Amino acid sequence: AQSVTQPDIHITVSEGASLELRCNYSYGATPYLFWYVQSPGQGLQLLLKYFSGDTLVQGIKGFEAEFKRSQSSFNLRKPSVHWSDAAEYFCAVGPLTGNQFYFGTGTSLTVIP
Amino acid sequence: KAGVTQTPRYLIKTRGQQVTLSCSPISGHRSVSWYQQTPGQGLQFLFEYFSETQRNKGNFPGRFSGRQFSNSRSEMNVSTLELGDSALYLCASSLAQSNTEAFFGQGTRLTVV
């Protein structure tokens, strides 16, 4: 069965520090992988996506993610976190059939000054 | 280019009532998917419509239904509301039939009392 696991429910980092959010997936073939960010009371905004090719993908707001097939991982990174990055981050796999996505349970990021 | 528009943003209903939520996708997008987001269950897929046809349906009771119009706008309906239906309902718009990224609306916050 397809699934996405985000092991960290909540992460706290200092502003200016580096960030890595973990994502592991289970899928029968090469997946399409996504990272979304959600601010309180808002919808989801796409940060970056991996379809194929270069396993290191760049996204918006200075984020990047690396696809590692051997580890079934797609971790999100940012070299220097800003206070405005505080939000909920979701990893997703899909589309599995049509445009149906499976989401992880999310990682809540707190940034302290 | 306008994004995905969901109306209303907030709703309060009482148990047993029914509710209709609306989603207008990005212009030119023909696929609309609906997700329910709750603190306990995370983001769960409800259903997807493409060219007025439901293509996929998640594991929700028959009280949850939807439809898509010829202009790609979509509505979802929940009948006989239960307290557990309180959630953020998110609509996602995609350009094509499959293997494309999804753009999310800001959601409709439904509270059932």
Side-chain angles (χ1 to χ4, degrees), chain A residues 3 60 64 77:
Chain A
S3 67
I60 63 171
E64 66 176 28
R77 301 193 293 248

Side-chain angles (χ1 to χ4, degrees), chain B residues 11-78:
Chain B
L11 265 179
I12 299 176
K13 292 285 188 178
T14 56
R15 278 182 299 173
Q17 286 187 312
Q18 75 165 19
V19 67
T20 299
L21 313 182
S22 178
C23 171
S24 293
I26 293 171
S27 178
H29 285 198
R30 296 168 63 192
S31 170
V32 173
S33 301
W34 289 88
Y35 291 82
Q36 182 195 64
Q37 185 179 22
T38 59
Q41 300 296 319
L43 279 148
Q44 293 188 290
F45 173 78
L46 280 156
F47 30 65
E48 181 205 355
Y49 288 86
F50 182 83
S51 294
E52 303 178 64
T53 302
Q54 185 181 91
R55 295 199 303 158
N56 289 299
K57 191 176 192 304
N59 188 26
F60 278 84
R63 301 185 296 107
F64 291 81
S65 63
R67 59 178 175 169
Q68 186 180 34
F69 302 95
S70 57
N71 62 357
S72 294
R73 189 177 71 85
S74 177
E75 290 180 346
M76 67 163 282
N77 184 79
V78 187

Side-chain angles (χ1 to χ4, degrees), chain A residues 38-56:
Chain A
Q38 185 180 35
S39 297
Q42 301 297 313
L44 277 69
Q45 181 183 22
L46 180 67
L47 284 175
L48 47 79
K49 59 186 184 284
Y50 171 77
F51 283 178
S52 64
D54 192 349
T55 57
L56 184 63

